[in-house]
Amino acid sequence: METTIRKTTKKKSALGSFMRHFKQNKWLYLLTVPGILYFAIFKYAPMYGLIIAFKDYVPFAGINGSQWVGLQNFRDFFSNPDFFRILWNTLMLAFLNIFFSFPAPIVLALLLNELRSKVFQRTVQTFVYVPHFLSWTIVVSLWYILFNVDHGAVANFVASLTGKEIDFLSDPAWFRPMIVLQSIWKEIGWGTIIYLAALSGVDQEQYEAAIMDGAGRFRRVWHITLPAIRSTIIIMLIMKVGSILTTGFDQIYLMTNQLNRTVADVFDTYVYMMGITNGAYSYSTAVGLFKSVVGIILVFGTNKLAKRFGESGLY
């Protein structure tokens, strides 16, 4: 009886504390309304449609009128010969992006942080930020202009050096390097914003003390700068791992052709092909749900692993 009374009292005190805080900061809470509505309407409400992954969805019958088939769509997907090929292609691109694209903004941020001329630093930052605001259609179009085997400037330059033509855009062996290079070029500048913000909080007295002790530039970076932004790197890595099966539809779809399709098909393009092109709505929803569940598991697993090694983690 006493335990129940204590719990009730705690709930009332917590509610009263929240109401007081709400009255004191009502305008700040009001600013959260557009964000809450956005997520409620465009993120949470559409999740009701995930139920068709467990049904044989027929558009004319609707979601409720379609036949329930349980896990049949998932069985069909896992037994499909394309499953392992698509999984391999997706994982290969994901690991290449983590290995090359993820450290690139960190390295650039460290280099920019070492520049003494602030004017030159801001100029470089401006130039490397610009590609982020270009759509993937424009980026891929630029790539076609530069690497086209017929009249591409880069392709012709490589041909003049090696004495043979290399079809960068159609050769399956060059598909993954092209994707990684595009990702680095487009996002490296934007990714440095977070790390430069973290670097701005490093205590400058530590650098001065290190200089007095005779530490060189590399030593200062290794023992002061990197430890200072380690928690930020861990958080960004957890978020990156969570989207390991999300390689980006626009970029992959625009770079795919009949000659490189064997290595270009990934989960995102496969969902589009099966759902929009072939009309297999339930099957494609099951594929998308599988990808999302794996992402959630990876986020929780990576976060737990980070905490085990003494980091703060994402939550």
Side-chain angles (χ1 to χ4, degrees):
M1 184 67 178
E2 292 181 0
T3 304
T4 305
I5 294 173
R6 287 176 183 173
K7 288 182 178 180
T8 305
T9 305
K10 285 182 179 180
K11 287 181 180 180
K12 287 182 178 180
S13 62
L15 180 61
S17 176
F18 172 75
M19 292 304 298
R20 286 193 300 271
H21 191 270
F22 180 82
K23 289 179 181 179
Q24 293 172 358
N25 304 277
K26 57 183 177 182
W27 298 114
L28 291 177
Y29 280 102
L30 185 62
L31 291 174
T32 65
V33 172
I36 294 172
L37 290 176
Y38 168 78
F39 280 96
I41 296 172
F42 297 104
K43 300 296 182 180
Y44 288 99
M47 290 180 68
Y48 174 73
L50 291 175
I51 196 173
I52 69 174
F54 305 94
K55 290 191 171 189
D56 182 15
Y57 177 68
V58 179
F60 296 104
I63 295 177
N64 295 327
S66 299
Q67 182 183 359
W68 182 271
V69 295
L71 299 176
Q72 185 59 45
N73 291 312
F74 294 92
R75 296 191 190 97
D76 293 340
F77 174 54
F78 296 141
S79 61
N80 193 314
D82 292 331
F83 171 71
F84 288 103
R85 179 176 63 87
I86 295 168
L87 180 63
W88 173 255
N89 291 341
T90 305
L91 290 177
M92 280 296 295
L93 282 176
F95 285 125
L96 286 172
N97 275 319
I98 290 176
F99 191 78
F100 292 104
S101 300
F102 179 75
I106 302 173
V107 174
L108 181 59
L110 293 175
L111 293 174
L112 290 173
N113 189 59
E114 293 298 316
L115 292 176
R116 295 181 180 178
S117 174
K118 294 300 180 183
V119 175
F120 182 67
Q121 182 189 51
R122 294 191 185 97
T123 303
V124 174
Q125 285 179 255
T126 302
F127 278 109
V128 296
Y129 288 166
V130 170
H132 171 79
F133 299 98
L134 301 177
S135 68
W136 278 116
T137 304
I138 296 175
V139 173
V140 174
S141 298
L142 291 173
W143 238 248
Y144 269 90
I145 293 172
L146 294 173
F147 292 93
N148 189 287
V149 71
D150 295 324
H151 50 266
V154 176
N156 291 338
F157 178 72
V158 173
S160 65
L161 290 178
T162 60
K164 61 178 181 179
E165 292 183 345
I166 301 176
D167 194 350
F168 293 100
L169 301 176
S170 299
D171 189 350
W174 280 98
F175 177 79
R176 293 181 183 125
M178 290 288 102
I179 294 296
V180 174
L181 284 174
Q182 284 179 356
S183 300
I184 293 175
W185 180 76
K186 188 175 187 295
E187 301 298 341
I188 186 173
W190 190 254
T192 58
I193 295 176
I194 295 174
Y195 298 110
L196 286 173
L199 288 171
S200 65
V202 180
D203 188 1
Q204 297 300 314
E205 292 183 358
Q206 295 185 31
Y207 290 115
E208 296 172 2
I211 293 172
M212 293 293 292
D213 291 337
R217 192 179 293 270
F218 179 77
R219 288 289 183 181
R220 295 198 299 270
V221 170
W222 184 259
H223 293 288
I224 299 175
T225 308
L226 284 177
I229 63 172
R230 184 172 59 187
S231 59
T232 304
I233 295 174
I234 294 297
I235 291 173
M236 297 303 294
L237 180 61
I238 292 172
M239 297 176 67
K240 187 74 173 178
V241 170
S243 59
I244 196 170
L245 296 184
T246 303
T247 51
F249 169 77
D250 296 346
Q251 180 190 16
I252 304 296
Y253 181 76
L254 292 170
M255 288 291 292
T256 303
N257 54 57
Q258 292 300 325
L259 297 177
N260 62 18
R261 187 172 293 277
T262 54
V263 296
D265 282 337
V266 293
F267 282 110
D268 293 322
T269 56
Y270 186 71
V271 167
Y272 170 80
M273 182 183 68
M274 298 303 298
I276 304 300
T277 307
N278 296 342
Y281 301 111
S282 295
Y283 181 82
S284 61
T285 304
V287 177
L289 182 59
F290 164 76
K291 186 186 73 171
S292 300
V293 170
V294 171
I296 292 173
I297 293 173
L298 288 173
V299 167
F300 280 97
T302 310
N303 189 77
K304 188 174 182 179
L305 188 64
K307 285 190 171 182
R308 183 166 294 182
F309 282 96
E311 299 297 331
S312 57
L314 189 60
Y315 55 90

